Amino acid sequence: MTAETLAPAKINLFLHVGAPAPDGYHPLCSLMVFADIGDRVGVTEAPGFRLGGPYGSALEGEGDNLVLRAARALAARLGGREIPGLILDKRLPVAAGLGGGSSDAGAALRLLREAWAPDLSDSDLEAVAASLGADGAACLWGRPVLAEGRGERLSAAPGLPVVDAVLVNPGVAVSTPAVYRAFDAAGRFSAVTPPPMPEAFESVEELAGWLAQTRNDLEPPALALAPQVADVLEVLAGEPETLFARMSGSGATCYALCAGDYEAETLAERLEAMRPDWWVERCRLGGPWA
């Protein structure tokens, strides 16, 4: 018998990053939302770890990944448990700025808590998730959140309308450490305090207009390392259905906000025909989807 759940893709609607602290970590402020698409994670009685999906081969031979690390971390938190069989159906591109590994870990933690310790508190589970990386706590529940500090300080996001979007990846992996090294070398650091924001956005048009006043500070160094990302953004900006386009995280995936489902579907179909070498997915942003 197998229990499985969605590990939704994470999107940084904005990402402000500050100068590195003495320990090398960067303070950040980001409005994160999640898509109704992502990887699938399963827990089964049959022992072992099984990896599949269209992007599973990108993780083969890795020897370790965040799903296994999450299982071991929760088992240790509970005083030791035998790790059951784990399944990862990898449907998102790897090294894509979509928080795939962190979301996969969050999905595994939710499933394993249900199997091992249903009474374990949300805060205890969040502590385990946070120990796995900067996006760990935010990706645990798959719901909109404002993340600050190193990503561990979470607060409620403003209310969001229905957000239809298109995700596009040019098929290149972008190294997050390399992007941060390029970011540090440029030395152009800005404040990371949350920008003024309303309690709720009444429409996607209002959200798009507000986002135009924010930034993704990792976009310039990522574009320098992977010019293909600039090609995606240029194409998206020129399409009539795009209300707003930006890169997510450290790249290489970009998103386009659209006025509705019809516009998103039209844009996705055109992009698929125009650039069959790109990964293109229509989705709905918001959550919680987990």
Side-chain angles (χ1 to χ4, degrees):
M1 183 177 180
T2 301
E4 67 171 43
T5 190
L6 176 70
K10 176 267 306 177
I11 301 296
N12 300 91
L13 290 182
F14 75 81
L15 177 55
H16 297 172
V17 182
D23 61 6
Y25 285 93
H26 296 74
L28 62 84
C29 180
S30 181
L31 179 56
M32 299 181 182
V33 296
F34 292 82
D36 60 353
I37 63 169
D39 299 332
R40 303 288 303 185
V41 175
V43 173
T44 182
E45 295 175 358
F49 177 69
R50 285 177 285 286
L51 180 64
Y55 291 95
S57 60
L59 298 179
E60 288 178 354
E62 199 175 69
D64 195 13
N65 60 62
L66 279 167
V67 170
L68 292 170
R69 286 171 54 194
R72 289 195 292 266
L74 184 58
R77 169 65 180 76
L78 297 174
R81 299 293 177 96
E82 182 178 353
I83 306 298
L86 295 165
I87 302 169
L88 174 57
D89 183 10
K90 191 66 183 168
R91 303 181 184 183
L92 297 175
V94 176
L98 297 174
S102 295
S103 193
D104 295 341
L109 289 176
R110 296 193 306 274
L111 288 171
L112 290 170
R113 177 175 70 167
E114 184 64 27
W116 284 344
D119 295 333
L120 184 70
S121 70
D122 287 353
S123 60
D124 284 342
L125 197 65
E126 286 175 9
V128 177
S131 72
L132 299 170
D135 286 346
C139 289
L140 178 59
W141 306 117
R143 60 182 175 231
V145 67
L146 182 71
E148 297 178 80
R150 297 179 181 179
E152 83 288 358
R153 288 188 0 237
L154 307 178
S155 56
L160 295 170
V162 172
V163 182
D164 290 287
V166 178
L167 306 183
V168 183
N169 186 290
V172 296
V174 177
S175 164
T176 297
V179 170
Y180 270 102
R181 285 193 296 270
F183 174 74
D184 290 346
R188 293 189 290 270
F189 306 121
S190 302
V192 292
T193 53
M197 62 184 73
E199 291 186 5
F201 294 98
E202 299 301 325
S203 67
V204 67
E205 289 83 0
E206 181 187 3
L207 174 63
W210 179 81
L211 285 172
Q213 306 170 52
T214 65
R215 315 176 305 275
N216 180 347
D217 289 330
L218 298 183
E219 194 171 286
L223 266 57
L225 293 170
Q228 301 93 327
V229 181
D231 296 338
V232 172
L233 290 171
E234 182 179 3
V235 169
L236 290 177
E239 297 303 307
E241 296 83 9
T242 300
L243 296 175
F244 181 82
R246 174 172 281 163
M247 188 186 81
S248 176
S250 57
T253 304
C254 302
Y255 67 86
L257 304 186
C258 300
D261 179 71
Y262 173 78
E263 289 81 1
E265 182 175 7
T266 301
L267 175 59
E269 290 178 351
R270 186 185 307 117
L271 291 172
E272 287 171 342
M274 182 190 312
R275 294 299 302 260
D277 54 321
W278 287 356
W279 177 82
V280 178
E281 288 288 342
R282 179 171 60 90
C283 65
R284 181 160 285 177
L285 301 181
W289 309 114

